[in-house]
Amino acid sequence: SFFFFFSFFPWPLRRLLLPPIRRSHADFGNTMLRQLVLRSAAAMRPRSASAALFSRFAAANSASASASAPSSSNMARGQVSQAAAEKYDEFLVPHLFAPWPKHIISAGMVGNNQKVLDVACGSGLVTQQVHRPKRGTVATGLDNNEAMLQVARRRCSPDVVLVQASADAMPFADHSFDRVLCQFGLMFFPDPVKAVQEMRRVTKPGGRVALLVWAALEEIPGKATMVQLLTECCGPELANGMRKPFSLGRLDEQLLPILHEAVPGVRLDVCTEYGEVASYPSAEHWVRWHVGSWTLADAVTPAQMASLVALAPHATASFTDKATGRVEYRMPAHVIAFDC
């Protein structure tokens, strides 16, 4: 159908087809893009490859077992230990985050001869993809988590500038960048309104800001199930650490009020993308990679982990491929952009 092919259009063409969005975005995203056919996940890995990945994860997890437990403040801000940052990049990035840079790069209209800032750059996935010095486009990554930046320094080219700083107090002059991108970071900022205002401040007139924000938890069965399991096995405080990435997922109630306060009167281009799928080799991988690669890594005890693993196959049955055992579910997210 038209709506399936619409998901492959470049953002500038999508923008021409969109109405001037203020509050009509919800109807567009929920009634039109909801009809997108879920694209299949990456080609199945052989079982031996999955086993090798699991062994590497277990070894990394064992090496970090003596680390101190994170505070609830760190969980709320998405702060992770060095070991968790390593596992995040090796296991969660390819299975969860890898499909998303193309969406924010398209929404941000990133092109040649531009200076691009990647806010909350994490391990540098987006930063490295937009850095194209031969085309005149250079990237700067900003993150408040030094552990993530250590991983990003290995991923990114040596000439990529990586800065440790808070998104609500960026150490850049006004109008420093042509494009500012923020993939799945806004919900972790202590002051998201101030962070968006900072993004606008450092963007040149005529430039563009683009953000990716996960949809609401209730729209993502795999994540809602994980929160339920964590609540049962580890208690509500730890489970809330997994809720945080989806805390701005309700457009009208949570996300848009922040954006309208931060940039009043600015037209927002908003689209909800339903086409990407999270995929894990098994229910056990789904548990261990989520917990061990996130802020919960040093807070969940071995006994609690054993309970999570034992309950996972039954909990994920509705979105597990019966033939392969792979756990797969859609991961909708909101793509928001505005011109400066």
Side-chain angles (χ1 to χ4, degrees):
S1 70
F2 167 79
F3 302 117
F4 176 79
F5 291 103
F6 181 83
S7 67
F8 297 96
F9 289 178
W11 185 273
L13 184 53
R14 289 194 202 186
R15 196 178 177 204
L16 291 175
L17 298 174
L18 288 169
I21 295 174
R22 258 320 170 83
R23 301 188 63 82
S24 60
H25 64 273
D27 294 333
F28 182 84
N30 292 334
T31 64
M32 300 176 79
L33 291 180
R34 193 181 292 277
Q35 300 178 43
L36 289 174
V37 179
L38 289 177
R39 295 193 289 276
S40 62
M44 300 296 181
R45 293 178 178 80
R47 291 190 179 274
S48 58
S50 294
L53 279 171
F54 191 86
S55 297
R56 294 206 307 276
F57 181 87
N61 201 48
S62 176
S64 65
S66 61
S68 60
S71 68
S72 57
S73 173
N74 281 346
M75 286 191 283
R77 292 182 291 115
Q79 295 292 295
V80 301
S81 66
Q82 187 64 50
E86 302 279 354
K87 288 178 282 186
Y88 167 95
D89 188 64
E90 185 172 2
F91 301 107
L92 279 190
V93 165
H95 291 271
L96 180 60
F97 295 106
W100 287 102
K102 63 179 179 287
H103 295 288
I104 195 167
I105 291 170
S106 177
M109 299 183 184
V110 176
N112 297 336
N113 302 308
Q114 293 176 344
K115 292 181 65 178
V116 182
L117 174 64
D118 181 16
V119 180
C121 65
S123 61
L125 177 66
V126 175
T127 318
Q128 182 58 30
Q129 290 195 31
V130 300
H131 185 65
R132 294 291 183 268
K134 291 183 178 179
R135 300 178 184 176
T137 296
V138 295
T140 297
L142 179 142
D143 202 286
N144 205 30
N145 192 322
E146 176 58 27
M148 283 292 190
L149 290 176
Q150 289 285 358
V151 179
R153 290 185 183 103
R154 294 199 302 271
R155 175 192 295 278
C156 295
S157 303
D159 56 340
V160 171
V161 176
L162 296 170
V163 178
Q164 183 180 13
S166 174
D168 55 15
M170 297 187 200
F172 306 116
D174 295 356
H175 311 150
S176 294
F177 299 94
D178 300 287
R179 300 290 186 268
V180 174
L181 311 178
C182 181
Q183 175 168 295
F184 303 127
L186 186 66
M187 44 282 205
F188 296 110
F189 302 149
D191 188 344
V193 171
K194 178 63 175 174
V196 174
Q197 290 172 338
E198 279 288 274
M199 294 180 206
R200 187 184 191 187
R201 178 185 67 79
V202 302
T203 305
K204 296 177 182 178
R208 191 163 171 86
V209 175
L211 307 99
L212 266 175
V213 177
W214 291 121
L217 187 64
E218 57 266 25
E219 295 193 62
I220 308 175
K223 298 297 184 179
T225 300
M226 177 62 73
V227 169
Q228 182 179 355
L229 281 182
L230 286 168
T231 302
E232 294 174 3
C233 298
C234 307
E237 183 177 359
L238 284 183
N240 284 338
M242 190 61 71
R243 292 179 186 274
K244 188 62 178 177
F246 314 99
S247 59
L248 298 182
R250 296 174 183 168
L251 279 172
D252 290 325
E253 301 171 30
Q254 297 169 329
L255 181 56
L256 287 183
I258 288 173
L259 296 172
H260 288 318
E261 181 180 351
V263 286
V266 172
R267 170 192 165 116
L268 301 175
D269 295 328
V270 183
C271 172
T272 300
E273 181 65 56
Y274 285 88
E276 301 300 348
V277 174
S279 179
Y280 304 89
S282 70
E284 184 170 0
H285 288 81
W286 172 77
V287 168
R288 292 190 182 276
W289 292 2
H290 270 87
V291 174
S293 304
W294 189 237
T295 58
L296 307 172
D298 303 319
V300 175
T301 69
Q304 290 170 334
M305 179 65 84
S307 297
L308 290 167
V309 169
L311 294 172
H314 176 73
T316 60
S318 63
F319 43 91
T320 296
D321 186 296
K322 300 301 185 290
T324 66
R326 293 192 72 87
V327 173
E328 298 179 335
Y329 47 88
R330 70 177 188 175
M331 286 290 299
H334 308 304
V335 189
I336 309 100
F338 59 89
D339 295 326
C340 296

